[in-house]
Amino acid sequence: MLAIILGPPGSGKGTQAAKLAEKKGLVHLSTGDILRNAVKNETELGLKAKSYMDAGDLVPDDLILGIIKERIESNNNVLFDGFPRTVPQAEGLDLMLAETGSGINVVLDLDVSDQEVINRLSGRYFCSSCQATYNYPNKLPKREGVCDKCGIALSKRKDDTEEVVKNRLNVYKELTQPLQDYYKKQGLLKTVNGEGNIEAVFNDLVSILDSIKTG
Ligand code: AP5
């Protein structure tokens, strides 16, 4: 199974992708998490990506396609989260997959309003070690301010300030939303109301994945 989870910033892609990957035995491949780790570890990729991420802009397509190529060569059971983000990235992915005789099976598209995105991101905290996300008041950690799994203090993402979130939403509409048409034309797009609670959205997504037949 090769699946993509699409949606605006803060729509719940990471939250749902982690749960779906566990339930369906998929590798959760989040370009955002890979890039944040690279920035934290000050790798060559991280140094190139940092200024784009801090401003809420997209990292150049060639860097992203390089990250993906390395990781999918030996894997055909993947849930892509935050990738592709532009039509050229989607075309690049299709070419890579065609070389291995495979293709995307389904694109899960989370529909969430701008106001809900702003509310969710203003309450988001994350663990810089395991990348788990929490939310005040929607998904509280067991102990206030501390990651349930790692026991370390939770942080705010640098790109979750109001100004940067507005830019991320604009970038999404201009560069990422065209992917809805790209995948609709291929008959792969399944849009889900992402504004229900985490479990309700999860159940809808599981039903879709359960209905997909893979080659
Ligand atoms: P990335 O990390 O992919 O950020 P994003 O797409 O902006 O999405 P988020 O991670 O902010 O949100 P999400 O949809 O995963 O929501 P979450 O589950 O956390 O990318 C960051 C940056 O990296 C980009 O801006 C760019 O610079 C770069 N980048 C990454 N990929 C790239 C690519 N392919 N090309 C170029 N550049 C790239 O949920 C949000 C909050 O809401 C959480 O607090 C959560 O607990 C809560 N929540 C989740 N679901 C619900 C619900 N149903 N009800 C209530 N609360 C909920």
Side-chain angles (χ1 to χ4, degrees), residues 8-15 31-32 35-36 52-53 57-59 64 82-83 85 89 120-121 124 133-135 138-139 157 159 168 194 196-198 201:
S11 55
K13 300 183 297 295
T15 302
T31 42
L35 291 168
R36 274 183 291 281
Y52 297 100
M53 296 176 75
D57 291 325
L58 295 186
V59 173
I64 299 291
F83 171 85
R85 223 33 177 250
Q89 288 183 19
R120 286 184 189 178
L121 293 184
R124 172 164 68 181
T133 53
Y134 298 87
N135 188 278
N138 297 319
K139 190 183 168 205
R157 264 173 53 175
D159 59 351
R168 287 161 63 198
N197 65 40
I198 292 173
V201 177

Side-chain angles (χ1 to χ4, degrees), residues 160-201:
D160 276 349
T161 60
E162 197 181 326
E163 191 191 346
V164 178
V165 169
K166 280 189 186 148
N167 186 42
R168 287 161 63 198
L169 278 167
N170 289 337
V171 168
Y172 171 77
K173 284 171 194 163
E174 188 190 340
L175 297 174
T176 308
Q177 221 163 24
L179 290 176
Q180 290 175 333
D181 269 350
Y182 182 89
Y183 288 117
K184 199 186 273 177
K185 283 186 191 140
Q186 297 184 27
L188 295 173
L189 192 76
K190 303 279 181 199
T191 301
V192 163
N193 175 8
E195 297 210 352
N197 65 40
I198 292 173
E199 283 310 311
V201 177

